Amino acid sequence: MRRNVVIFILLLGTVFLHAENVNLLPQPEYMLQKEGTFTLNSNTKLFYNDAVAEKDVKMFQDFLRQHFSLALQAGKSKKIKKGVFFFYDETIPGEEYKLEIDNDKVVIYGGSAGLFYGMQTLMQLFPAENTAEVSLPQLTVKDKPRFNYRGALLDAGRYFFSVAETKRFIDLMASYKLNILHWHLTEDGGWRIEIKKYPKLTEIGAWRRETQVNRNAPTQDGLPHGGYYTQEQIRDIVAYAAERNITIVPEFDMPGHTMALLSAYPEISCTGGPFKPIEMWGIQEDILCAGNEETYQVVEDILDEMLDLFPSKIIHIGGDEAPKARWKNCPKCQAKIKEENLKDENALQGYYIKRICDYLESKGRRGLGWDEILESGAESNTMIMSWRGEKGGIEAAKKNHDVVMAPSTYLYIDYYQGKPENEPYNIGGFLPLERVYSYEPLTKEIPAEFHKHIVGVQANLWMEFIHTEKKLDYMAYPRLIALAEIGWSDKGKNYRDFTERLSYCLEWLDKKDVNFRIPEPYGLANAESSASSISVNLRVPVHNGKILYTTNGDDPLVNGKVYDGPIQLTLSKEKPVQLKCVVKTQRGRVSRTYDAFYKKL
Ligand code: ACM
Ligand code: ZN
């Protein structure tokens, strides 16, 4: 009997260890893990059946070379063979794929996007340790996304990020099966896209003299900032993204957020200027003049060049934060209101947005705008991006607009993710990982018949106070991974389970030198008890990392003990016990110091 119990426990242990190998993010739709493994080493052959699959095989070869020093040969074959096979099957729709691993082969079946995603799943099965031989669990994964639009906004308008930095962001997005990069390219503080017909946009609009670095004071860094992407660079980035199943949705934000444009071409403002690209963040009164026909000409010319660069069906035309004070006092705007029989300046914004969206439609594209454009009466073929909470998106879906949910109440990943006093300076807000992960786009408030209009979700990374790649990483990860699971997975969510899988993923990000925010140890939280002692259970947020802690106020990085099981704290009424922790990854990165207080009632 006793022996049976021991065997049972050993078996359980095996199952557990076995299951430990599979930590996918986002969670696939279906997975069946089997007994045994497939061994990949320097003798393993790679195959593809079609030129479409060949590009993925090349990426897989790069992955193996870079992370495991394995240089594997690849060859074309019509028939499935032993080894790792990328099988292009055009009958498999869209982003769907199947991954089969048995004892002598790994096969990915999919169309163009599906093969790429099957490969991402396969890569996530690899351990972060650099070994010459890798054991992959035998399994079947059948997978497809919940939403077609799974996006991230990169705000290059506030701060310019280089081509290499942008590509790296695309690589990371793609590894979590995100498929839309919303590229915010035009702002009050910078114009980032070369337009041949209007060279001053980048000669003047791409550069500012200095930048505000603290929201609560006019603190300027005194440093010029700027940059823009040439059309050649943009084509390169668009193609790079497309190879990774990412569509770039460019944003030309208008009629507001256009001070950089107006600095170059003040004649299409209401007052005539002069202007300069802004150096202090905030909403600007000066916007494009909607009464001047020349404005429409310039905007359409710019759009023509953008459409030539960006094959995306969806084009973001902004529409947010456009004060109407200038339009109220502008003879041209007032004349336009009369001429078009419009009620007021808000209706003029509706007219403006409709004209731009009609123009896009005439070119076979589709306009997408921030939720303000709903208030000024956008047409139902125009897509809405809900950012001021979910209200705009809910309302828009009920009016048959297709909607992308990007509510600032859940998905603004420029907001703080820990106690502000313990985090790098940022714009404000508070959206810790668990809050982001809890977001459900199909809320009760959207009747089921309108669910089809919620095309997806997006996290927005605004850059007012993010000017380095390190800080970008810190703000984006791990919250962007939570967003990826919201967008992809239809399995129901469990935060604990997510954080378990995430711990492996963070170990990988550490290996890739991504400066993600190391989460607090799970279980670290203020508590009160009437007992004289309390047991604190912590969980390490990064696989193979450790928690160092103190209970006497000392710096845990200097004097901390390694956490190796529940901590018993003796409580007193006089003074709460402060449990201070740092998390250290295996590669030596250290978190900020996190703490919690434990008190006797
Ligand atoms: C926005 O955050 N102004 C769209
Ligand atoms: Zn005007």
Side-chain angles (χ1 to χ4, degrees):
M1 178 63 199
R2 211 190 149 92
R3 227 185 75 191
N4 283 347
V5 170
V6 170
I7 288 172
F8 179 69
I9 288 169
L10 281 176
L11 269 174
L12 258 185
T14 321
V15 170
F16 187 65
L17 275 180
H18 191 77
E20 242 189 5
N21 299 330
V22 182
N23 292 285
L24 301 174
L25 268 165
Q27 184 86 300
E29 182 173 70
Y30 169 89
M31 181 179 73
L32 179 69
Q33 198 177 345
K34 302 170 204 163
E35 283 300 313
T37 57
F38 169 90
T39 303
L40 186 142
N41 57 31
S42 59
N43 298 319
T44 305
K45 295 259 179 318
L46 310 179
F47 297 100
Y48 54 92
N49 66 335
D50 189 285
V52 177
E54 189 178 358
K55 130 197 159 266
D56 298 308
V57 172
K58 288 210 165 100
M59 287 188 201
F60 190 56
Q61 283 176 308
D62 289 343
F63 167 83
L64 294 173
R65 210 175 293 118
Q66 189 184 348
H67 297 294
F68 299 91
S69 312
L70 283 168
L72 302 192
Q73 298 299 312
K76 193 168 177 178
S77 165
K78 285 284 159 207
K79 236 178 55 223
I80 290 178
K81 292 186 170 168
K82 287 181 188 175
V84 179
F85 206 109
F86 286 66
F87 194 92
Y88 174 66
D89 180 349
E90 62 190 354
T91 69
I92 300 175
E95 300 177 305
E96 196 172 328
Y97 69 91
K98 187 164 99 166
L99 168 65
E100 289 270 18
I101 305 181
D102 60 29
N103 67 318
D104 62 2
K105 58 187 178 310
V106 174
V107 190
I108 304 170
Y109 302 88
S112 166
L115 278 178
F116 180 76
Y117 286 151
M119 174 177 68
Q120 296 305 327
T121 299
L122 174 60
M123 287 170 175
Q124 289 190 5
L125 298 172
F126 281 68
E129 296 90 41
N130 190 348
T131 53
E133 185 160 292
V134 176
S135 291
L136 300 172
Q138 292 187 30
L139 48 66
T140 299
V141 171
K142 288 183 199 158
D143 202 7
K144 61 178 189 304
R146 181 182 186 196
F147 292 107
N148 290 330
Y149 187 119
R150 305 178 303 279
L153 176 146
L154 196 63
D155 174 11
R158 266 39 176 263
Y159 277 102
F160 176 77
F161 286 84
S162 70
V163 172
E165 288 166 332
T166 307
K167 286 183 174 177
R168 177 175 171 276
F169 189 73
I170 287 169
D171 280 333
L172 288 167
M173 280 180 71
S175 60
Y176 305 109
K177 303 186 174 80
L178 293 169
N179 67 350
I180 304 277
L181 174 62
H182 172 173
W183 207 7
H184 187 79
L185 286 165
T186 71
E187 250 311 329
D188 292 314
W191 182 275
R192 305 289 174 226
I193 165 174
E194 178 191 22
I195 300 294
K196 307 257 193 215
K197 190 159 182 187
Y198 299 98
K200 285 191 288 185
L201 284 172
T202 44
E203 284 165 17
I204 294 170
W207 310 95
R208 62 175 180 261
R209 288 182 321 182
E210 57 180 0
T211 310
Q212 179 189 18
V213 290
N214 188 308
R215 199 182 184 196
N216 302 314
T219 44
Q220 302 302 106
D221 60 4
L223 301 169
H225 175 82
Y228 66 91
Y229 308 100
T230 66
Q231 295 203 347
E232 196 184 335
Q233 288 173 324
I234 287 178
R235 285 184 208 284
D236 175 44
I237 291 174
V238 167
Y240 187 87
E243 281 184 354
R244 288 152 182 82
N245 194 45
I246 288 179
T247 300
I248 299 189
V249 172
E251 179 179 356
F252 176 180
D253 199 351
M254 56 184 152
H257 288 282
T258 43
M259 286 291 276
L261 187 166
L262 292 178
S263 309
Y265 298 96
E267 56 271 30
I268 60 168
S269 71
C270 291
T271 65
F275 308 105
K276 59 179 183 176
I278 64 157
E279 294 152 7
M280 296 273 286
W281 305 125
I283 297 173
Q284 308 302 313
E285 296 286 343
D286 288 290
I287 66 175
L288 301 185
C289 177
N292 184 350
E293 278 304 307
E294 199 189 336
T295 303
Y296 297 91
Q297 191 56 54
V298 172
V299 165
E300 287 175 8
D301 289 343
I302 293 172
L303 283 173
D304 285 346
E305 292 194 33
M306 283 178 81
L307 299 188
D308 198 40
L309 295 169
F310 295 98
S312 170
K313 172 98 180 163
I314 302 171
I315 304 292
H316 204 301
I317 47 86
D320 62 324
E321 300 178 324
K324 302 298 181 300
R326 296 289 183 266
W327 289 4
K328 276 195 169 68
N329 295 314
C330 169
K332 284 185 186 146
C333 286
Q334 292 304 316
K336 183 66 90 185
I337 287 174
K338 278 221 181 67
E339 189 184 307
E340 296 293 331
N341 256 320
L342 302 169
K343 184 165 145 266
D344 55 12
E345 291 73 26
N346 196 35
L348 181 58
Q349 161 129 347
Y351 167 87
Y352 180 88
I353 297 291
K354 179 169 163 24
R355 246 181 99 163
I356 304 303
C357 290
D358 285 351
Y359 186 74
L360 290 172
E361 294 269 339
S362 78
K363 305 279 171 181
R365 310 296 180 98
R366 206 168 165 207
L368 162 63
W370 298 109
D371 60 36
E372 281 94 333
I373 71 169
L374 193 66
E375 286 167 7
S376 56
E379 304 271 302
S380 67
N381 52 353
T382 301
M383 292 176 68
I384 303 293
M385 186 167 271
S386 191
W387 74 277
R388 295 172 304 171
E390 299 161 84
K391 203 172 126 273
I394 293 166
E395 212 174 294
K398 290 203 239 170
K399 290 181 175 161
N400 292 312
H401 293 268
D402 283 345
V403 170
V404 178
M405 283 295 198
S408 57
T409 43
Y410 289 92
L411 301 180
Y412 266 39
I413 57 173
D414 56 332
Y415 288 5
Y416 283 106
Q417 49 196 323
K419 292 180 197 162
E421 62 275 18
N422 196 27
E423 291 291 315
Y425 182 77
N426 228 306
I427 194 154
F430 182 59
L431 289 175
L433 180 63
E434 186 165 10
R435 166 84 183 171
V436 173
Y437 189 70
S438 74
Y439 180 55
E440 170 47 52
L442 302 181
T443 64
K444 290 194 294 292
E445 290 160 89
I446 308 170
E449 75 223 73
F450 298 109
H451 283 184
K452 62 174 188 283
H453 288 306
I454 307 297
V455 297
V457 288
Q458 179 173 292
N460 290 346
L461 189 51
W462 298 108
M463 302 294 193
E464 280 93 339
F465 301 101
I466 303 174
H467 65 288
T468 64
E469 190 177 57
K470 266 191 142 37
K471 193 160 176 186
L472 184 161
D473 279 359
Y474 187 89
M475 300 308 286
Y477 303 101
R479 291 184 293 185
L480 201 50
I481 302 169
L483 183 271
E485 182 139 299
I486 295 166
W488 182 276
S489 188
D490 203 6
K491 288 212 20 154
K493 288 178 294 174
N494 174 310
Y495 186 62
R496 160 96 200 206
D497 175 68
F498 168 73
T499 57
E500 293 283 357
R501 285 178 286 126
L502 182 66
S503 74
Y504 291 83
C505 167
L506 294 181
E507 185 186 21
W508 254 107
L509 286 183
D510 198 26
K511 180 179 166 119
K512 291 182 183 173
D513 288 322
V514 176
N515 186 46
F516 60 91
R517 179 182 187 272
I518 300 176
E520 294 87 350
Y522 302 109
L524 182 70
N526 295 343
E528 294 179 357
S529 168
S530 53
S532 55
S533 77
I534 194 169
S535 172
V536 180
N537 250 302
L538 299 177
R539 200 152 48 85
V540 187
V542 185
H543 184 245
N544 278 325
K546 59 187 171 199
I547 298 167
L548 300 169
Y549 72 94
T550 60
T551 56
N552 63 356
D554 280 2
D555 180 350
L557 188 58
V558 180
N559 290 332
K561 277 199 263 188
V562 177
Y563 178 85
D564 60 358
I567 306 166
Q568 300 300 326
L569 298 178
T570 305
L571 304 180
S572 82
K573 277 196 178 126
E574 291 73 56
K575 195 167 175 274
V577 184
Q578 185 186 20
L579 178 57
K580 285 171 88 167
C581 302
V582 290
V583 178
K584 192 169 181 180
T585 70
Q586 193 179 39
R587 296 172 81 241
R589 252 192 81 210
V590 179
S591 72
R592 292 187 174 231
T593 303
Y594 302 127
D595 67 356
F597 290 89
Y598 298 83
K599 219 162 58 183
K600 185 159 178 169
L601 274 175

